[in-house]
Amino acid sequence: MLETYRGTYFHPRTQFITIDKTGKVIESDNILFPLKKGDEISSINPFFEGLASYFDSKEDNDIKFTCVHLESKKKQQHTCDIEFKTFANGQPSLVIIHDFSDHYEYYQEVAQSRNESVINSQILELQNKYLKEKEDFKNTFIANFSHELRNPLTGVTAFCSVLQKTDMSLEQQDYVEVIKSSGDHLKNMIGDILEMSKIEVGKLTIDEELFDFHKLIEMLAFTYTVKAKQKNIEFEVDFDDKIPKYIEGDKTRIKQVFENLLENAFKFTTTGKVTFTIKENQRRARKVNLNISVKDTGIGIPSEKLDIIFNSFTQLDVTQKYSGTGLGLSIVKGLVELMDGKITVESEENVGSIFKMNINFKYPINQENTSLENKLDIEYKNSLSKEKYNILLAEDSELAQMAVLKILSQEGHFYLDIISNGEDVIESVIHNEYDLILMDIRMPGTHGDELTKMIRSLPVQNCKTIPILALTANLYDDDKKRYKKMGMNDIIEKPFDETTLLSKIYKHLK
Amino acid sequence: MKVSKKIILLGHFGVGKSSLIRQFVENSFTTDYKVTIGVHILKKEVQIAPNETISLIIWDLEGYDDIKKTRASYLLGTHGFIYVFDVTRPATFQNLEDDITYLTNQYANTPLKVVGNKADLVTKSYLKENKAIFGVTPDFFTSAKTGDNVADLFTTLAKELVK
């Protein structure tokens, strides 16, 4: 019975072949590949041609090959393990072919899936790397480009301030005002682009300082009420007085978010009303949760565009009727998210839009005993102890040199030394006793932050304490930290105007 | 008697070894990737002089991350090597220098050609500027897809095998 079953169910998958010294078949059981006596063994597959040098071997050899793909004359594919044996006693060589096609077919599927997965992940990794490089290039380009724009812009804004103080006709004053306003507009746009690139590379951090939130809202209410009158539209501020007066947050960024949203609402509203609502939602521990919204009766946003409204460089109006970089709302979203807040928008075309935010702020429990140190610039100026101060300006831009010289000379409190090359700064600091140094960062020779570090380590009496203020357009948080670490006391951002420059100088002079 | 020479294609998986052979032997190309397991052997006669041809027995081996994992029996009696990498995938050429050193030490007298495949996916200037990142200067940049340099690669190696 066993033999009957074997005959029915056993399908041998192994072929035995003997060959002579020239590779010709002597005997074959033809289980897989039909061969006649005298056939070349290589007629099965060129694989056997690779063994030709062993056909006449007079030694014992047992060579095993796994997973060799062979094709029968009927074009049937076999994946086989092959054994090739030669014998020292002169017996004919033996070829044994084991057909493991089923087993290797399964292995093929596993290998296919594994390799595809590895290759896809490598490609994905490369694509990510490429995108990151592209993004880094873009951001570096933006940072460098805005830096290069800031120097000439410093010339424009600073000299407008200086020019406004000269004797001019009314017509000339109007022209200067136009130049100044255009310069400010350009400065804001460059600021927006740089700001967005900082947010995108995660280089913008949110500071926490105590400030008067009520005062900020009052200031915005005043500014935009005037603006609304000019535009002949209504402006309403719905402010919840229960909100703590003093809160902790990044005042500059919060103001920027509110201003961007209000500017946006004013820009697109020609009739009707803009409503600025600030309500307390809840308080828990030392945190107050605020619901803030800016609602307008402007042109609205088509529903299909709501998803892209916060994307960079998105301007829905293609008619160029409304100017701007298309960055305002993406900056708002980036800043709100950095403050762990949320922003949403609802809108109906030709009816209006409402931008809603929900943000948590810390606040001091004891509000009554909280006060802010708010020394005015004029107080700094009045507390000066010397009549004349020696100031060193290390700056290679001639335009910036002229601007600083002109602004300081009007004050009558300063002697100014100007050095254009980083390498000459140290010598000048050693031989002169300065009260303050204005230090450009990107200078030929040695950069300003490196020079500051060197100055701080000089064995000259006042070098450890002399105020050194950076004049720079490089304002990433990493840069700011580095300037501080190198020993700089403060930063004057380019492009600067007369007020900014003087207030910082007076603040640091004793 | 016609001369037969065994050559082996080595390199990581997915670099296009099978596609190079298919392009050379059958003048065809497909973008479908089918993993090679074990070894496929194909044969092609190559004319190396006006009255001289040789048979190339081309062994298309399964790709490995590590060349040392190649089954030793496959390499028996090899007359020449073609080491293939993918110019677009750094993982396939990051050990190129070590792999080539290993091959030249183990098989000092066996001709070897180093090939950067999938050259159609990058620009010529990319290849020129990035030669240094491959670690070894390739003998050929090929494209199994367009057929660029494929016949030249096999013919050049074939000529070296009969020297």
Side-chain angles (χ1 to χ4, degrees), chain A residues 49-50 53, chain B residues 3-8 55-57 75-81 109-112 157 160-162:
Chain A
E49 287 188 40
S53 57
Chain B
V3 180
S4 286
K5 297 286 179 188
K6 172 182 172 180
I7 60 171
I8 285 185
S55 286
L56 286 183
I57 314 296
L75 305 177
L76 280 176
T78 300
H79 298 104
F81 290 110
N109 299 317
T110 310
L112 162 71
L157 181 60
E160 278 185 41
L161 299 181
V162 294

PDB file of all heavy atoms in Angstrom, chain A residues 49-50 53, chain B residues 3-8 55-57 75-81 109-112 157 160-162:
ATOM      1  N   GLU A  49      28.697  26.246 -17.850  1.00  0.00           N
ATOM      2  CA  GLU A  49      29.949  26.645 -18.519  1.00  0.00           C
ATOM      3  C   GLU A  49      30.936  27.203 -17.505  1.00  0.00           C
ATOM      4  O   GLU A  49      32.145  27.093 -17.659  1.00  0.00           O
ATOM      5  CB  GLU A  49      29.674  27.686 -19.604  1.00  0.00           C
ATOM      6  CG  GLU A  49      28.994  27.088 -20.815  1.00  0.00           C
ATOM      7  CD  GLU A  49      28.899  28.074 -21.976  1.00  0.00           C
ATOM      8  OE1 GLU A  49      29.873  28.817 -22.215  1.00  0.00           O
ATOM      9  OE2 GLU A  49      27.845  28.100 -22.632  1.00  0.00           O
ATOM     10  N   GLY A  50      30.411  27.774 -16.426  1.00  0.00           N
ATOM     11  CA  GLY A  50      31.268  28.316 -15.376  1.00  0.00           C
ATOM     12  C   GLY A  50      31.998  27.224 -14.605  1.00  0.00           C
ATOM     13  O   GLY A  50      32.942  27.515 -13.854  1.00  0.00           O
ATOM     14  N   SER A  53      36.079  24.306 -15.927  1.00  0.00           N
ATOM     15  CA  SER A  53      37.461  24.043 -15.506  1.00  0.00           C
ATOM     16  C   SER A  53      37.543  22.891 -14.503  1.00  0.00           C
ATOM     17  O   SER A  53      38.618  22.373 -14.231  1.00  0.00           O
ATOM     18  CB  SER A  53      38.070  25.315 -14.921  1.00  0.00           C
ATOM     19  OG  SER A  53      37.285  25.769 -13.840  1.00  0.00           O
TER      20      SER A  53
ATOM     21  N   VAL B   3      35.734  31.140 -27.069  1.00  0.00           N
ATOM     22  CA  VAL B   3      36.146  31.438 -25.699  1.00  0.00           C
ATOM     23  C   VAL B   3      34.930  31.890 -24.887  1.00  0.00           C
ATOM     24  O   VAL B   3      34.141  32.712 -25.337  1.00  0.00           O
ATOM     25  CB  VAL B   3      37.202  32.567 -25.686  1.00  0.00           C
ATOM     26  CG1 VAL B   3      37.644  32.884 -24.262  1.00  0.00           C
ATOM     27  CG2 VAL B   3      38.387  32.185 -26.556  1.00  0.00           C
ATOM     28  N   SER B   4      34.779  31.315 -23.664  1.00  0.00           N
ATOM     29  CA  SER B   4      33.710  31.742 -22.755  1.00  0.00           C
ATOM     30  C   SER B   4      34.329  32.385 -21.523  1.00  0.00           C
ATOM     31  O   SER B   4      35.328  31.877 -21.003  1.00  0.00           O
ATOM     32  CB  SER B   4      32.884  30.541 -22.276  1.00  0.00           C
ATOM     33  OG  SER B   4      32.063  30.087 -23.291  1.00  0.00           O
ATOM     34  N   LYS B   5      33.764  33.470 -21.095  1.00  0.00           N
ATOM     35  CA  LYS B   5      34.269  34.147 -19.896  1.00  0.00           C
ATOM     36  C   LYS B   5      33.111  34.431 -18.942  1.00  0.00           C
ATOM     37  O   LYS B   5      32.063  34.943 -19.358  1.00  0.00           O
ATOM     38  CB  LYS B   5      34.949  35.479 -20.250  1.00  0.00           C
ATOM     39  CG  LYS B   5      36.177  35.333 -21.134  1.00  0.00           C
ATOM     40  CD  LYS B   5      37.362  34.791 -20.351  1.00  0.00           C
ATOM     41  CE  LYS B   5      38.587  34.624 -21.251  1.00  0.00           C
ATOM     42  NZ  LYS B   5      39.689  33.938 -20.570  1.00  0.00           N
ATOM     43  N   LYS B   6      33.353  34.106 -17.691  1.00  0.00           N
ATOM     44  CA  LYS B   6      32.320  34.331 -16.679  1.00  0.00           C
ATOM     45  C   LYS B   6      32.521  35.698 -16.021  1.00  0.00           C
ATOM     46  O   LYS B   6      33.604  35.977 -15.503  1.00  0.00           O
ATOM     47  CB  LYS B   6      32.410  33.230 -15.616  1.00  0.00           C
ATOM     48  CG  LYS B   6      31.522  33.448 -14.398  1.00  0.00           C
ATOM     49  CD  LYS B   6      31.712  32.313 -13.372  1.00  0.00           C
ATOM     50  CE  LYS B   6      30.983  32.627 -12.068  1.00  0.00           C
ATOM     51  NZ  LYS B   6      31.162  31.555 -11.074  1.00  0.00           N
ATOM     52  N   ILE B   7      31.507  36.522 -16.077  1.00  0.00           N
ATOM     53  CA  ILE B   7      31.613  37.796 -15.351  1.00  0.00           C
ATOM     54  C   ILE B   7      30.448  37.901 -14.351  1.00  0.00           C
ATOM     55  O   ILE B   7      29.374  37.349 -14.571  1.00  0.00           O
ATOM     56  CB  ILE B   7      31.634  39.035 -16.279  1.00  0.00           C
ATOM     57  CG1 ILE B   7      30.373  39.111 -17.119  1.00  0.00           C
ATOM     58  CG2 ILE B   7      32.866  39.051 -17.143  1.00  0.00           C
ATOM     59  CD1 ILE B   7      30.264  40.434 -17.869  1.00  0.00           C
ATOM     60  N   ILE B   8      30.720  38.612 -13.267  1.00  0.00           N
ATOM     61  CA  ILE B   8      29.731  38.712 -12.193  1.00  0.00           C
ATOM     62  C   ILE B   8      29.381  40.164 -11.936  1.00  0.00           C
ATOM     63  O   ILE B   8      30.270  41.020 -11.883  1.00  0.00           O
ATOM     64  CB  ILE B   8      30.296  38.061 -10.906  1.00  0.00           C
ATOM     65  CG1 ILE B   8      30.264  36.544 -11.057  1.00  0.00           C
ATOM     66  CG2 ILE B   8      29.521  38.482  -9.679  1.00  0.00           C
ATOM     67  CD1 ILE B   8      30.679  35.793  -9.824  1.00  0.00           C
ATOM     68  N   SER B  55      32.109  34.578 -25.747  1.00  0.00           N
ATOM     69  CA  SER B  55      30.830  34.404 -25.054  1.00  0.00           C
ATOM     70  C   SER B  55      30.968  34.921 -23.638  1.00  0.00           C
ATOM     71  O   SER B  55      31.849  34.476 -22.896  1.00  0.00           O
ATOM     72  CB  SER B  55      30.471  32.919 -24.969  1.00  0.00           C
ATOM     73  OG  SER B  55      30.050  32.461 -26.208  1.00  0.00           O
ATOM     74  N   LEU B  56      30.137  35.866 -23.310  1.00  0.00           N
ATOM     75  CA  LEU B  56      30.132  36.333 -21.925  1.00  0.00           C
ATOM     76  C   LEU B  56      29.044  35.568 -21.168  1.00  0.00           C
ATOM     77  O   LEU B  56      27.876  35.577 -21.568  1.00  0.00           O
ATOM     78  CB  LEU B  56      29.829  37.833 -21.852  1.00  0.00           C
ATOM     79  CG  LEU B  56      30.939  38.795 -22.262  1.00  0.00           C
ATOM     80  CD1 LEU B  56      30.482  40.242 -22.040  1.00  0.00           C
ATOM     81  CD2 LEU B  56      32.235  38.545 -21.486  1.00  0.00           C
ATOM     82  N   ILE B  57      29.452  34.880 -20.118  1.00  0.00           N
ATOM     83  CA  ILE B  57      28.486  34.210 -19.247  1.00  0.00           C
ATOM     84  C   ILE B  57      28.271  35.177 -18.083  1.00  0.00           C
ATOM     85  O   ILE B  57      29.160  35.359 -17.248  1.00  0.00           O
ATOM     86  CB  ILE B  57      29.026  32.861 -18.704  1.00  0.00           C
ATOM     87  CG1 ILE B  57      29.670  32.043 -19.824  1.00  0.00           C
ATOM     88  CG2 ILE B  57      27.939  32.097 -17.965  1.00  0.00           C
ATOM     89  CD1 ILE B  57      28.721  31.622 -20.905  1.00  0.00           C
ATOM     90  N   LEU B  75      31.423  32.877  -6.787  1.00  0.00           N
ATOM     91  CA  LEU B  75      32.584  33.620  -7.303  1.00  0.00           C
ATOM     92  C   LEU B  75      33.651  32.709  -7.913  1.00  0.00           C
ATOM     93  O   LEU B  75      34.612  33.199  -8.516  1.00  0.00           O
ATOM     94  CB  LEU B  75      33.210  34.452  -6.180  1.00  0.00           C
ATOM     95  CG  LEU B  75      32.253  35.421  -5.454  1.00  0.00           C
ATOM     96  CD1 LEU B  75      32.954  36.130  -4.314  1.00  0.00           C
ATOM     97  CD2 LEU B  75      31.685  36.452  -6.422  1.00  0.00           C
ATOM     98  N   LEU B  76      33.445  31.385  -7.785  1.00  0.00           N
ATOM     99  CA  LEU B  76      34.446  30.441  -8.320  1.00  0.00           C
ATOM    100  C   LEU B  76      34.644  30.632  -9.824  1.00  0.00           C
ATOM    101  O   LEU B  76      33.672  30.724 -10.569  1.00  0.00           O
ATOM    102  CB  LEU B  76      33.974  28.995  -8.095  1.00  0.00           C
ATOM    103  CG  LEU B  76      34.178  28.395  -6.697  1.00  0.00           C
ATOM    104  CD1 LEU B  76      33.549  26.998  -6.659  1.00  0.00           C
ATOM    105  CD2 LEU B  76      35.674  28.301  -6.375  1.00  0.00           C
ATOM    106  N   GLY B  77      35.876  30.694 -10.232  1.00  0.00           N
ATOM    107  CA  GLY B  77      36.190  30.737 -11.664  1.00  0.00           C
ATOM    108  C   GLY B  77      35.738  31.997 -12.374  1.00  0.00           C
ATOM    109  O   GLY B  77      35.495  31.988 -13.588  1.00  0.00           O
ATOM    110  N   THR B  78      35.609  33.096 -11.621  1.00  0.00           N
ATOM    111  CA  THR B  78      35.175  34.354 -12.249  1.00  0.00           C
ATOM    112  C   THR B  78      36.321  35.013 -13.014  1.00  0.00           C
ATOM    113  O   THR B  78      37.441  35.076 -12.518  1.00  0.00           O
ATOM    114  CB  THR B  78      34.677  35.323 -11.154  1.00  0.00           C
ATOM    115  OG1 THR B  78      33.601  34.711 -10.481  1.00  0.00           O
ATOM    116  CG2 THR B  78      34.216  36.625 -11.761  1.00  0.00           C
ATOM    117  N   HIS B  79      35.990  35.476 -14.216  1.00  0.00           N
ATOM    118  CA  HIS B  79      37.037  36.146 -15.013  1.00  0.00           C
ATOM    119  C   HIS B  79      36.997  37.666 -14.881  1.00  0.00           C
ATOM    120  O   HIS B  79      37.979  38.340 -15.174  1.00  0.00           O
ATOM    121  CB  HIS B  79      36.884  35.761 -16.486  1.00  0.00           C
ATOM    122  CG  HIS B  79      37.063  34.293 -16.728  1.00  0.00           C
ATOM    123  ND1 HIS B  79      35.999  33.446 -16.972  1.00  0.00           N
ATOM    124  CD2 HIS B  79      38.169  33.526 -16.723  1.00  0.00           C
ATOM    125  CE1 HIS B  79      36.446  32.202 -17.126  1.00  0.00           C
ATOM    126  NE2 HIS B  79      37.773  32.220 -16.979  1.00  0.00           N
ATOM    127  N   GLY B  80      35.840  38.176 -14.494  1.00  0.00           N
ATOM    128  CA  GLY B  80      35.743  39.638 -14.383  1.00  0.00           C
ATOM    129  C   GLY B  80      34.585  40.049 -13.502  1.00  0.00           C
ATOM    130  O   GLY B  80      33.606  39.321 -13.350  1.00  0.00           O
ATOM    131  N   PHE B  81      34.713  41.251 -12.892  1.00  0.00           N
ATOM    132  CA  PHE B  81      33.647  41.780 -12.025  1.00  0.00           C
ATOM    133  C   PHE B  81      33.122  43.111 -12.575  1.00  0.00           C
ATOM    134  O   PHE B  81      33.886  43.924 -13.104  1.00  0.00           O
ATOM    135  CB  PHE B  81      34.187  42.070 -10.621  1.00  0.00           C
ATOM    136  CG  PHE B  81      34.530  40.855  -9.818  1.00  0.00           C
ATOM    137  CD1 PHE B  81      35.861  40.537  -9.537  1.00  0.00           C
ATOM    138  CD2 PHE B  81      33.535  40.028  -9.315  1.00  0.00           C
ATOM    139  CE1 PHE B  81      36.190  39.433  -8.784  1.00  0.00           C
ATOM    140  CE2 PHE B  81      33.859  38.908  -8.547  1.00  0.00           C
ATOM    141  CZ  PHE B  81      35.189  38.614  -8.289  1.00  0.00           C
ATOM    142  N   ASN B 109      44.065  39.752  -9.725  1.00  0.00           N
ATOM    143  CA  ASN B 109      44.296  39.724 -11.171  1.00  0.00           C
ATOM    144  C   ASN B 109      43.014  39.682 -12.001  1.00  0.00           C
ATOM    145  O   ASN B 109      43.054  39.436 -13.200  1.00  0.00           O
ATOM    146  CB  ASN B 109      45.161  38.506 -11.523  1.00  0.00           C
ATOM    147  CG  ASN B 109      46.513  38.603 -10.830  1.00  0.00           C
ATOM    148  OD1 ASN B 109      47.129  39.672 -10.805  1.00  0.00           O
ATOM    149  ND2 ASN B 109      46.950  37.506 -10.208  1.00  0.00           N
ATOM    150  N   THR B 110      41.892  39.875 -11.326  1.00  0.00           N
ATOM    151  CA  THR B 110      40.624  39.795 -12.054  1.00  0.00           C
ATOM    152  C   THR B 110      40.159  41.207 -12.410  1.00  0.00           C
ATOM    153  O   THR B 110      40.005  42.054 -11.525  1.00  0.00           O
ATOM    154  CB  THR B 110      39.548  39.112 -11.160  1.00  0.00           C
ATOM    155  OG1 THR B 110      40.109  37.913 -10.648  1.00  0.00           O
ATOM    156  CG2 THR B 110      38.291  38.818 -11.946  1.00  0.00           C
ATOM    157  N   PRO B 111      39.962  41.470 -13.700  1.00  0.00           N
ATOM    158  CA  PRO B 111      39.524  42.816 -14.097  1.00  0.00           C
ATOM    159  C   PRO B 111      38.209  43.216 -13.412  1.00  0.00           C
ATOM    160  O   PRO B 111      37.340  42.366 -13.211  1.00  0.00           O
ATOM    161  CB  PRO B 111      39.330  42.712 -15.606  1.00  0.00           C
ATOM    162  CG  PRO B 111      40.169  41.557 -16.024  1.00  0.00           C
ATOM    163  CD  PRO B 111      40.155  40.601 -14.872  1.00  0.00           C
ATOM    164  N   LEU B 112      38.127  44.493 -13.092  1.00  0.00           N
ATOM    165  CA  LEU B 112      36.963  45.008 -12.375  1.00  0.00           C
ATOM    166  C   LEU B 112      36.552  46.349 -12.974  1.00  0.00           C
ATOM    167  O   LEU B 112      37.401  47.202 -13.242  1.00  0.00           O
ATOM    168  CB  LEU B 112      37.345  45.192 -10.894  1.00  0.00           C
ATOM    169  CG  LEU B 112      36.461  46.101 -10.035  1.00  0.00           C
ATOM    170  CD1 LEU B 112      35.102  45.448  -9.780  1.00  0.00           C
ATOM    171  CD2 LEU B 112      37.132  46.393  -8.694  1.00  0.00           C
ATOM    172  N   LEU B 157      35.025  45.524 -20.969  1.00  0.00           N
ATOM    173  CA  LEU B 157      35.455  44.470 -20.041  1.00  0.00           C
ATOM    174  C   LEU B 157      35.812  43.194 -20.820  1.00  0.00           C
ATOM    175  O   LEU B 157      36.844  42.555 -20.546  1.00  0.00           O
ATOM    176  CB  LEU B 157      34.349  44.178 -19.018  1.00  0.00           C
ATOM    177  CG  LEU B 157      34.669  43.113 -17.978  1.00  0.00           C
ATOM    178  CD1 LEU B 157      35.896  43.478 -17.136  1.00  0.00           C
ATOM    179  CD2 LEU B 157      33.480  42.875 -17.042  1.00  0.00           C
ATOM    180  N   GLU B 160      39.202  43.311 -22.199  1.00  0.00           N
ATOM    181  CA  GLU B 160      40.238  43.130 -21.170  1.00  0.00           C
ATOM    182  C   GLU B 160      40.385  41.670 -20.777  1.00  0.00           C
ATOM    183  O   GLU B 160      41.467  41.221 -20.403  1.00  0.00           O
ATOM    184  CB  GLU B 160      39.890  43.951 -19.915  1.00  0.00           C
ATOM    185  CG  GLU B 160      40.302  45.402 -20.042  1.00  0.00           C
ATOM    186  CD  GLU B 160      40.060  46.184 -18.767  1.00  0.00           C
ATOM    187  OE1 GLU B 160      40.321  45.639 -17.674  1.00  0.00           O
ATOM    188  OE2 GLU B 160      39.599  47.330 -18.880  1.00  0.00           O
ATOM    189  N   LEU B 161      39.286  40.912 -20.870  1.00  0.00           N
ATOM    190  CA  LEU B 161      39.325  39.513 -20.434  1.00  0.00           C
ATOM    191  C   LEU B 161      40.168  38.639 -21.347  1.00  0.00           C
ATOM    192  O   LEU B 161      40.657  37.590 -20.926  1.00  0.00           O
ATOM    193  CB  LEU B 161      37.900  38.937 -20.360  1.00  0.00           C
ATOM    194  CG  LEU B 161      36.939  39.618 -19.385  1.00  0.00           C
ATOM    195  CD1 LEU B 161      35.580  38.927 -19.395  1.00  0.00           C
ATOM    196  CD2 LEU B 161      37.498  39.614 -17.966  1.00  0.00           C
ATOM    197  N   VAL B 162      40.341  39.041 -22.606  1.00  0.00           N
ATOM    198  CA  VAL B 162      41.100  38.197 -23.540  1.00  0.00           C
ATOM    199  C   VAL B 162      42.521  38.711 -23.751  1.00  0.00           C
ATOM    200  O   VAL B 162      43.259  38.189 -24.581  1.00  0.00           O
ATOM    201  CB  VAL B 162      40.393  38.064 -24.908  1.00  0.00           C
ATOM    202  CG1 VAL B 162      39.097  37.299 -24.756  1.00  0.00           C
ATOM    203  CG2 VAL B 162      40.137  39.437 -25.519  1.00  0.00           C
TER     204      VAL B 162
END
